[in-house]
Amino acid sequence: MAGEKKVLSALGTAAQKLYCVGCKTSLDPEEFWDSNGLMSSLRTTKESGCKSFLCKDCTRALYKIILTGCEGDHLEALFQLCATNNWYYDDLLAQSITAELALDDVMPDKYLEVIFNNEEYKGKTFYKQLSRPYFVKMSSFKEGEDELTEEDKQNRNDIKKAFGYDPFETKPISQRSMLYRSLNQMVDPTLNNDLVRQRAAIEIVTNYEEIDRLDVAIAKLSLTPDDIVKNAKDLETLRKMKSDVNKNISMLCKDHGLSAKYANSKSRGAGTLSGIMRDMEDNDYDEGVVNLYDIETSTSIQQCSDISAKSVSTQLKLSDSDYAEMVEEQAIVVRQEIAARKKAEEALRVCKEYLRRQELIVDLVQEYKRKGLSTVEIEELITPELKGGKL
């Protein structure tokens, strides 16, 4: 229509110019960057498509403000700029542009020219990169990390070293502190390569946490005598649940020897040097006959022997008590060996003295014979010397 008045609007396809929410002026569409975001679909021009709400100058000004806040980190500044305007962010592309950025180059211009002129990025936005489950997971993880103390994190690291993973990763953050602390107290070398006992230890710790929550529920329902009467049925149910959980804990401890009360020769010290030596003594391993032919000539048997030896070596985890016992035994052996050595040295000295006396006597007899003495006379002369032990 000839008399139709064209309105300068931020929205609508009829607008010939677009309004910048930054500098608050109406400019040609070419002064704005393209945009694939949902909000920008309301700023569609006939020739240029969807446009951003900030003009290019305002975008550059905003980038400088963000860059100052990021202490000159172009990657972080560009990430925040893309998040603000719902532009797709490609970290590898950003790094390559940053590496080649000249002093007179404008970072957002270089980056956005590639994004909007390359078919690879067509239709992509910042928010399409984020799925809701992933966002929730990352948000809860960060929140959880903030709530954990340094001691909790250390306990978690110790558990990961022993078990190879975090068994409480899916548990609510409010429960993890107690779970990490309790399980770390149960960690010992015998659990490292024993999956069954690992799972039993995890279940015991989880059950104790459940008991704590049952205790809290029981306490809330029994604040006053009237509450106890009113909630008698619920309290009975909770106490029965608590009793069942305690029975399960006792059964697990007994079956797997995970407490001092139920530890026995089969579980206490299993895998330690003293435990292995005890098993060897109980089962008379020294009485076994070694098949030297199979071990020395059969390749397959040799491989099995090597694997078994490696497994035994892995299980030899010495505890502090093992070290103390070994040192004490070695000290006794050293003292005994020193005493035996001194005794042997004295016996050797006496033997040498005896042999020397024998040699002197022989020399003396030869000397008497050269002087012409008879055998009877020689014996009469030597016999007193032998009895006196002077030679």
Side-chain angles (χ1 to χ4, degrees):
M1 295 175 61
E4 182 180 353
K5 182 178 180 181
K6 296 181 179 180
V7 179
L8 299 180
S9 172
L11 306 175
T13 59
Q16 297 301 307
K17 290 192 175 184
L18 296 177
Y19 184 75
C20 174
V21 298
C23 58
K24 297 179 175 56
T25 57
S26 296
L27 304 169
D28 292 331
E30 291 75 16
E31 298 297 324
F32 295 82
W33 287 109
D34 293 340
S35 178
N36 297 319
L38 183 60
M39 290 296 294
S40 296
S41 64
L42 301 175
R43 290 169 57 84
T44 304
T45 61
K46 293 180 180 179
E47 296 82 8
S48 305
C50 301
K51 295 294 182 177
S52 62
F53 282 81
L54 289 176
C55 67
K56 294 181 178 180
D57 288 337
C58 289
T59 299
R60 298 182 187 107
L62 177 61
Y63 181 79
K64 289 181 180 179
I65 295 174
I66 298 175
L67 185 63
T68 302
C70 296
E71 298 180 350
D73 187 344
H74 281 285
L75 294 178
E76 180 63 28
L78 185 61
F79 176 82
Q80 294 186 24
L81 182 70
C82 291
T84 303
N85 293 275
N86 197 15
W87 288 324
Y88 183 78
Y89 179 75
D90 186 330
D91 194 64
L92 292 178
L93 174 62
Q95 290 184 39
S96 64
I97 293 176
T98 303
E100 300 174 358
L101 196 66
L103 293 176
D104 56 345
D105 288 337
V106 181
M107 178 63 175
D109 289 16
K110 301 283 289 184
Y111 177 83
L112 294 175
E113 284 174 1
V114 177
I115 289 293
F116 293 117
N117 292 310
N118 194 321
E119 288 294 325
E120 178 185 353
Y121 303 106
K122 186 176 181 179
K124 293 184 177 181
T125 66
F126 185 88
Y127 295 119
K128 286 182 180 179
Q129 295 176 275
L130 300 176
S131 63
R132 179 177 175 276
Y134 178 77
F135 178 81
V136 172
K137 181 179 179 179
M138 292 300 297
S139 178
S140 61
F141 176 80
K142 186 177 185 305
E143 179 184 354
E145 288 294 303
D146 293 339
E147 292 188 17
L148 292 177
T149 64
E150 290 301 321
E151 181 182 358
D152 296 334
K153 294 177 182 179
Q154 183 60 49
N155 289 334
R156 180 178 61 185
N157 292 336
D158 293 342
I159 292 171
K160 284 184 176 181
K161 290 179 182 178
F163 289 18
Y165 72 105
D166 180 2
F168 306 123
E169 185 177 5
T170 59
K171 294 292 183 181
I173 191 63
S174 59
Q175 300 176 11
R176 293 187 199 176
S177 179
M178 178 267 184
L179 293 172
Y180 289 141
R181 181 172 60 254
S182 300
L183 184 58
N184 193 37
Q185 293 175 354
M186 300 183 68
V187 171
D188 63 55
T190 64
L191 289 177
N192 288 352
N193 299 312
D194 194 335
L195 177 61
V196 177
R197 297 184 76 227
Q198 284 184 6
R199 300 301 294 269
I202 293 171
E203 186 173 353
I204 289 172
V205 170
T206 305
N207 285 346
Y208 272 121
E209 194 279 330
E210 183 178 350
I211 288 177
D212 290 343
R213 286 187 283 118
L214 289 173
D215 287 337
V216 172
I218 292 173
K220 289 182 178 179
L221 294 178
S222 56
L223 293 175
T224 64
D226 292 338
D227 291 336
I228 296 175
V229 175
K230 179 180 177 181
N231 302 313
K233 187 174 181 179
D234 293 336
L235 288 171
E236 182 181 356
T237 301
L238 292 173
R239 291 191 179 106
K240 185 178 184 304
M241 292 173 62
K242 180 179 177 180
S243 177
D244 292 341
V245 176
N246 274 316
K247 289 180 181 177
N248 185 51
I249 293 175
S250 298
M251 180 183 67
L252 290 170
C253 290
K254 185 175 182 179
D255 291 345
H256 301 284
L258 290 173
S259 69
K261 178 179 179 180
Y262 297 110
N264 48 46
S265 59
K266 295 182 180 180
S267 60
R268 181 187 297 173
T272 61
L273 179 60
S274 58
I276 293 173
M277 294 175 65
R278 180 175 58 248
D279 291 341
M280 292 177 64
E281 182 178 358
D282 293 341
N283 295 287
D284 294 327
Y285 288 165
D286 290 339
E287 299 297 326
V289 178
V290 179
N291 190 333
L292 295 178
Y293 175 82
D294 283 344
I295 292 179
E296 294 179 356
T297 63
S298 173
T299 303
S300 60
I301 295 298
Q302 185 63 50
Q303 291 176 348
C304 293
S305 176
D306 294 341
I307 294 172
S308 177
K310 183 177 180 181
S311 177
V312 171
S313 177
T314 301
Q315 295 179 19
L316 291 177
K317 305 294 184 181
L318 299 179
S319 63
D320 293 340
S321 60
D322 291 327
Y323 282 115
E325 184 178 351
M326 289 172 59
V327 171
E328 182 179 356
E329 292 176 353
Q330 290 173 359
I332 295 174
V333 171
V334 169
R335 288 195 292 269
Q336 291 175 347
E337 291 298 325
I338 292 175
R341 188 196 67 186
K342 291 182 177 179
K343 185 176 180 181
E345 289 177 349
E346 178 62 20
L348 179 62
R349 186 190 66 80
V350 173
C351 183
K352 288 181 177 179
E353 183 179 355
Y354 176 78
L355 292 175
R356 180 59 180 163
R357 289 175 61 190
Q358 292 293 329
E359 292 174 356
L360 292 175
I361 290 174
V362 171
D363 293 342
L364 186 60
V365 169
Q366 294 296 330
E367 181 67 23
Y368 285 158
K369 285 182 177 181
R370 283 196 298 270
K371 291 181 178 180
L373 297 178
S374 65
T375 303
V376 176
E377 292 176 332
I378 293 173
E379 289 180 354
E380 290 178 353
L381 292 171
I382 292 178
T383 299
E385 299 295 334
L386 292 176
K387 289 182 179 180
K390 294 180 181 179
L391 293 177

